[in-house]
Amino acid sequence: MANEEDDPVIQEIKPKQQKVELEMAIDTLNPNYCRSKGEQIALNVDGACADETSTYSSKLMDKQTFCSSQTTSNTSRYAAALYRQGELHLTPLHGILQLRPSFSYLDKADAKHREREAANEAGDSSQDEAEDDVKQITVRFSRPESEQARQRRVQSYEFLQKKHAEEAWVHLHYYGLKDSRSEHERQYLLCPGSSGVENTELVKSPSEYLLMLMPPSQEEEKDKPVAPSNVLSMAQLRTLPLADQIKILMKNVKVMPFANLMSLLGPSIDSVAVLRGIQKVAMLVQGNWVVKSDILYPKDSSSPHSGVPAEVLCRGRDFVMWKFTQSRWVVRKEVATVTKLCAEDVKDFLEHMAVVRINKGWEFILPYDGEFIKKHPDVVQRQHMLWTGIQAKLEKVYNLVKETMPKKPDAQSGPAGLVSGDQRIQVAKTKAQQNHVLLERELQRRKEQLRAPAVPPGVRIKEEPVSEEGEDNDDEEEEPMDTSPSGGLHSRLANGLPPGRAVGTDSFNGHPPPGCASTPVARELRAFVEATFQRQFVLTLSELKRLFNLHLASLPPGHTLFSGISDRMLQDTVLAAGCKQILVPFPPQTAASPDEQKVFALWESGDMSDQHRQVLLEIFSKNYRVRRNMIQSRLTQECGEDLSKQEVDKVLKDCCVSYGGMWYLKGTVQS
C-alpha cells in the first residue's frame, strides 16, 4: 500500500443506508505489489477488451474497495479519548463502523466466465446446423403496474442492487495528519474549558462519575435469563421458589442423595418441605433420588438421536430406573432389546444414573443410602407404591414376565459382596429373634379372639370361593351369592350377615369388621371403599388394589393408611361396606389371575337402579358372558313391562362392558 503522506491516495466515499463504501488506490509501483497477479485479476474481471464499463481501466488491479459494517448496536458506552497536557478529554461516540475489503470484483469475474462459456457453446451449435431454424416470437404487452406490485418491486433485492450500482460516487480530498485542516478538526475533540472551576459537572465522587460515564445497559439486563440453563448460579438460584430450586437442581444433577440436596438448598430450609417437593420431580432408587423422565423429556419433545417422541423415551428410561430398583447392575443389551430404542438413547439413559464397568455392565452411580431408608419409612413406602404401578404399566407395554417386587422398599439390593459364615449365623439368630416376637404377638391375638363372644347361630360365616376345573355347575348354583327372589335367607342376609348386624362389632371371618372399627385406619379404609364403589359399581380385587395404591400415592407422608393394609382386610372392608362378591363362572382355560377372578359389586346404593343392578348381577353369577336380549328379557320379567331402553342402557353402562357382541362384567373380559 502507498505511504499516506508521500504517495497521492484517491479516496471516494459512497453513503447508502447507513453503509459506507471506501475506494482506495493501490500503489502498483511498490516492490511488494505482484504485477502478474494484478494483471490476471483485471483480465478475469474485464476480459481482453477494455471499455468504459471496465472495472480496472489500466488492465491492472490498481484499487481496492472497502465496505463498512456495524460493529455494535449500543455505542453509548464508548468514547474517543485525547490526552494533552496532563488532561484526558473524552468525546462520546454515536456510531462506529468497521471497514472490510469488498470482493465484488470476483462476482464480476465469474459472470464474465459464464458469458464466455455460453457464447462458445452457442457458436459450436450454430456451426453444426445447416441453416438457422425459424423461431416463433410471442409479443406480450405489459399491463399497468398496480401499487402493491410497485412496492414489491421497489423492495426486491434486484431493484436495490440496481439502485446501488447507479448511485454516483462522491470524490473526497485526503488531508494528512499534520495538515492545518486536520489540526483544526482535532480541536473539536478538546474541551473548551481549561480551568477546573468551570467544570461544575465533575463535582462528584469517582464512583458517581464512572456511573454517569458508563451507565448500566438496560438491554443487557433484559436479556439475562430468569434461571440458568447449563451453568447454575447458586446466588441466583436461591432467589427462586423452593419447588423451582429443587427442579433445576435435579434436572442438572439427575441423581442425588437427600443429604446433598439439603446442603445445596441451605440450612434454613425445612426438610419436610423439601421431601414434599422432591417427590414431585424425582423417584427413589436405592435410597437416592433420580429425576423423573418427564422432567428431562417434556411433552412434544423428541430424541436428538432417533427422533423418537418423548412418551417412548420416558417409558424406556422408566424401565432403566425400575431395573435399578431391583439390582445394582443393568446390562445395556437387555435394555435395548426390551425397549427397542437405539443404542444412543439407551446410553443416554444409563449415563444419567450409572457408570460402566468392564465385563460387568452398568452399575448404579451412587451407593445404597440405607440411612435415608431407615429415617423416612413413610416416604419409602409411598415410593414403593408408585414403583408398583410403574411396574404393572411396564409389564403391559413390554410384555414382560411378571417379576416380584421386594415386599419392603428397604429390601432393595445393597452392595454386592461375599458373606462369611459368622455373618450368616448372626443373620439367622436375628431372624429367629424376630420370628419369636411375631409368634408371641400372634399367640396373644388368638387368645383375645377366644375370649370374644361366639358367633350367633343365625349367622353364617362366608368362606373364600375355591374354583376347581372339575367343579360341578350345581355347586356354583348353591353358593350364597344366588340373588333369586325366592331365597328368603338371601333377601335378609348381606354376605352372611343380618342387616341389623352388618355394621356391628361381631367377629367377621376371624377379624373384627374393619369398616366398623373405631380405629382411624379402619375409618379411612371404609371411606375409601365406599367412595370408590359409588363411582364404579363393579370392581375386581386386582383393580381395587390398583386404585388403592394410587390413593396411597396421593396421600401426604405419615398418613394413617401407610401402617399396612392386607388383602384380607381390604376384602372384609368391602363386604362390610354393603358390597357383595359375585362368583362369576370363569371358563376353565381363563388366563385371569386369582385377584382378577374375585369380583365385588355394590349391592345397594339407594337409587332407583338398585333392583335392576341386582337382577343383572344375579345373571352374571351363573353366566360368564350374556347376550343383550337375554338381559333385556330377564329385566322385563323381574321389573315389569314398563322398563325403558334408557334404564337398561344405564345399568349395562354401570356394570358391564361389551366385547364381540357379548356382555361381560367389568374387569372379567379376557381379550
Side-chain angles (χ1 to χ4, degrees):
M1 300 296 291
N3 186 281
E4 62 180 10
E5 294 184 359
D6 301 334
D7 189 76
V9 179
I10 300 174
Q11 294 189 1
E12 298 179 355
I13 189 167
K14 181 180 178 182
K16 183 180 185 299
Q17 296 183 355
Q18 299 181 352
K19 287 189 179 181
V20 175
E21 287 187 356
L22 182 64
E23 189 176 274
M24 299 181 62
I26 298 177
D27 183 10
T28 58
L29 302 177
N30 192 289
N32 295 324
Y33 180 80
C34 182
R35 189 174 185 86
S36 61
K37 193 68 175 177
E39 291 176 351
Q40 183 64 42
I41 293 176
L43 180 62
N44 294 339
V45 173
D46 298 328
C49 301
D51 53 17
E52 296 180 355
T53 61
S54 299
T55 304
Y56 304 112
S57 57
S58 62
K59 296 185 179 182
L60 279 174
M61 182 180 177
D62 55 358
K63 56 186 176 181
Q64 175 70 56
T65 303
F66 293 86
C67 183
S68 68
S69 62
Q70 193 173 8
T71 58
T72 178
S73 59
N74 183 13
T75 59
S76 62
R77 300 170 63 86
Y78 298 92
L82 185 64
Y83 186 77
R84 177 171 292 185
Q85 298 179 0
E87 296 177 346
L88 182 65
H89 299 260
L90 299 177
T91 303
L93 299 179
H94 298 285
I96 302 176
L97 295 178
Q98 181 181 12
L99 292 175
R100 296 181 179 179
S102 174
F103 301 98
S104 58
Y105 61 87
L106 296 178
D107 298 333
K108 295 181 180 179
D110 292 341
K112 288 282 186 180
H113 179 68
R114 286 193 294 269
E115 288 177 1
R116 285 194 295 269
E117 286 185 349
N120 293 335
E121 291 178 0
D124 295 340
S125 61
S126 62
Q127 292 176 4
D128 297 337
E129 296 176 357
E131 57 183 10
D132 294 336
D133 295 337
V134 179
K135 296 182 179 180
Q136 182 179 1
I137 300 176
T138 303
V139 180
R140 295 182 180 179
F141 297 94
S142 60
R143 298 179 181 178
E145 187 179 26
S146 63
E147 182 63 23
Q148 293 181 352
R150 191 190 69 81
Q151 291 180 359
R152 287 196 299 268
R153 181 176 58 81
V154 169
Q155 295 176 359
S156 65
Y157 175 77
E158 183 181 357
F159 180 82
L160 293 176
Q161 287 294 104
K162 183 179 179 182
K163 187 176 180 182
H164 173 79
E166 293 174 352
E167 189 172 354
W169 287 90
V170 178
H171 293 267
L172 301 177
H173 296 281
Y174 174 76
Y175 297 94
L177 180 65
K178 298 180 180 180
D179 192 272
S180 60
R181 181 64 182 268
S182 299
E183 183 64 28
H184 176 74
E185 293 292 334
R186 197 179 298 113
Q187 293 299 321
Y188 288 112
L189 300 177
L190 299 176
C191 182
S194 59
S195 63
V197 180
E198 298 178 1
N199 297 334
T200 57
E201 292 292 334
L202 298 180
V203 187
K204 294 182 181 294
S205 64
S207 59
E208 292 176 339
Y209 173 69
L210 288 176
L211 187 62
M212 291 175 58
L213 183 63
M214 296 182 64
S217 176
Q218 297 181 356
E219 295 181 2
E220 293 181 2
E221 292 179 356
K222 292 179 181 178
D223 294 340
K224 288 182 179 179
V226 177
S229 56
N230 53 356
V231 178
L232 288 176
S233 169
M234 296 305 297
Q236 187 177 2
L237 184 68
R238 288 176 179 173
T239 61
L240 302 175
L242 179 61
D244 293 341
Q245 294 184 44
I246 297 173
K247 182 177 180 180
I248 292 174
L249 284 172
M250 291 306 304
K251 187 174 181 180
N252 283 268
V253 182
K254 297 181 179 60
V255 184
M256 191 186 306
F258 185 74
N260 291 13
L261 179 62
M262 290 299 301
S263 64
L264 289 174
L265 293 175
S268 60
I269 304 299
D270 184 18
S271 61
V272 177
V274 177
L275 273 175
R276 192 179 300 113
I278 189 67
Q279 296 182 68
K280 297 179 181 178
V281 297
M283 296 291 292
L284 191 66
V285 178
Q286 300 192 21
N288 302 281
W289 291 98
V290 182
V291 65
K292 289 184 176 180
S293 302
D294 55 357
I295 301 296
L296 295 179
Y297 303 107
K299 191 177 180 182
D300 299 332
S301 64
S302 60
S303 167
H305 306 294
S306 59
V308 173
E311 181 182 358
V312 180
L313 292 176
C314 291
R315 194 160 55 231
R317 188 174 180 275
D318 287 345
F319 175 75
V320 175
M321 294 170 61
W322 172 75
K323 291 292 289 183
F324 276 120
T325 64
Q326 308 296 300
S327 172
R328 285 198 58 83
W329 297 91
V330 168
V331 180
R332 175 177 170 180
K333 186 178 294 185
E334 178 189 354
V335 176
T337 303
V338 173
T339 60
K340 303 295 189 297
L341 293 173
C342 69
E344 290 78 8
D345 289 332
V346 175
K347 186 178 180 182
D348 285 350
F349 299 158
L350 293 171
E351 287 179 343
H352 290 168
M353 62 192 84
V355 290
V356 64
R357 306 294 186 192
I358 299 176
N359 297 330
K360 290 186 177 181
W362 291 78
E363 184 184 12
F364 193 69
I365 194 170
L366 294 178
Y368 182 80
D369 192 353
E371 182 179 354
F372 180 85
I373 298 293
K374 296 177 181 178
K375 192 174 180 180
H376 304 281
D378 51 345
V379 177
V380 173
Q381 186 174 3
R382 186 170 185 267
Q383 289 292 309
H384 174 63
M385 298 295 181
L386 291 175
W387 277 121
T388 303
I390 293 175
Q391 179 190 7
K393 181 180 178 181
L394 293 174
E395 288 173 352
K396 290 183 179 179
V397 173
Y398 294 130
N399 296 323
L400 302 177
V401 178
K402 290 191 176 181
E403 298 180 30
T404 305
M405 292 281 287
K407 292 185 178 180
K408 295 183 180 180
D410 57 353
Q412 298 183 31
S413 60
L418 297 176
V419 181
S420 64
D422 294 338
Q423 290 176 337
R424 292 178 182 274
I425 294 174
Q426 187 63 31
V427 171
K429 288 181 178 180
T430 304
K431 289 185 177 180
Q433 293 176 358
Q434 294 176 352
N435 292 337
H436 179 69
V437 174
L438 294 175
L439 289 173
E440 285 188 348
R441 291 178 181 174
E442 181 67 17
L443 179 61
Q444 185 66 24
R445 186 183 64 81
R446 291 186 179 182
K447 288 181 179 180
E448 292 177 357
Q449 288 182 357
L450 292 175
R451 298 192 192 100
V455 180
V459 177
R460 184 175 58 180
I461 305 245
K462 177 185 176 299
E463 297 181 354
E464 289 293 325
V466 180
S467 60
E468 300 290 344
E469 290 188 3
E471 188 175 4
D472 203 6
N473 291 336
D474 296 335
D475 295 334
E476 292 181 357
E477 294 178 359
E478 292 176 1
E479 291 289 336
M481 287 304 300
D482 190 0
T483 56
S484 59
S486 59
L489 177 62
H490 297 163
S491 63
R492 300 191 305 272
L493 298 182
N495 286 282
L497 292 180
R501 301 190 59 181
V503 293
T505 58
D506 296 337
S507 63
F508 183 78
N509 287 340
H511 301 277
C516 311
S518 58
T519 61
V521 177
R523 288 196 297 268
E524 290 287 342
L525 185 60
R526 176 69 175 266
F528 163 76
V529 169
E530 291 178 348
T532 302
F533 275 94
Q534 285 294 334
R535 294 191 302 269
Q536 303 184 41
F537 294 96
V538 178
L539 287 172
T540 62
L541 180 60
S542 175
E543 179 67 11
L544 181 61
K545 287 163 64 176
R546 188 187 70 84
L547 295 175
F548 183 64
N549 287 337
L550 293 177
H551 178 65
L552 285 179
S554 65
L555 296 176
H559 196 274
T560 56
L561 285 180
F562 285 111
S563 59
I565 305 297
S566 64
D567 291 357
R568 187 57 179 269
M569 186 176 181
L570 182 62
Q571 295 179 68
D572 292 347
T573 304
V574 171
L575 297 176
C579 300
K580 282 190 177 184
Q581 182 174 355
I582 310 302
L583 303 180
V584 179
F586 283 83
Q589 68 276 13
T590 181
S593 64
D595 286 349
E596 291 174 342
Q597 294 186 35
K598 292 182 180 180
V599 184
F600 297 91
L602 182 63
W603 194 250
E604 292 184 359
S605 62
D607 58 9
M608 300 296 295
S609 302
D610 284 348
Q611 184 183 3
H612 305 158
R613 187 166 56 254
Q614 292 170 9
V615 173
L616 182 67
L617 296 175
E618 179 186 358
I619 296 173
F620 280 101
S621 66
K622 298 186 174 90
N623 301 275
Y624 173 63
R625 57 182 182 178
V626 187
R627 294 191 179 275
R628 181 187 174 96
N629 56 3
M630 178 181 175
I631 298 174
Q632 181 84 35
S633 60
R634 183 64 181 274
L635 286 173
T636 304
Q637 178 184 352
E638 297 290 340
C639 304
E641 299 290 342
D642 56 346
L643 190 65
S644 63
K645 181 179 180 297
Q646 289 76 11
E647 292 174 326
V648 177
D649 291 342
K650 182 181 184 304
V651 71
L652 287 175
K653 181 180 178 182
D654 291 342
C655 305
C656 302
V657 61
S658 177
Y659 183 78
M662 304 294 288
W663 287 87
Y664 303 78
L665 274 185
K666 287 185 176 179
T668 63
V669 61
Q670 301 295 318
S671 57

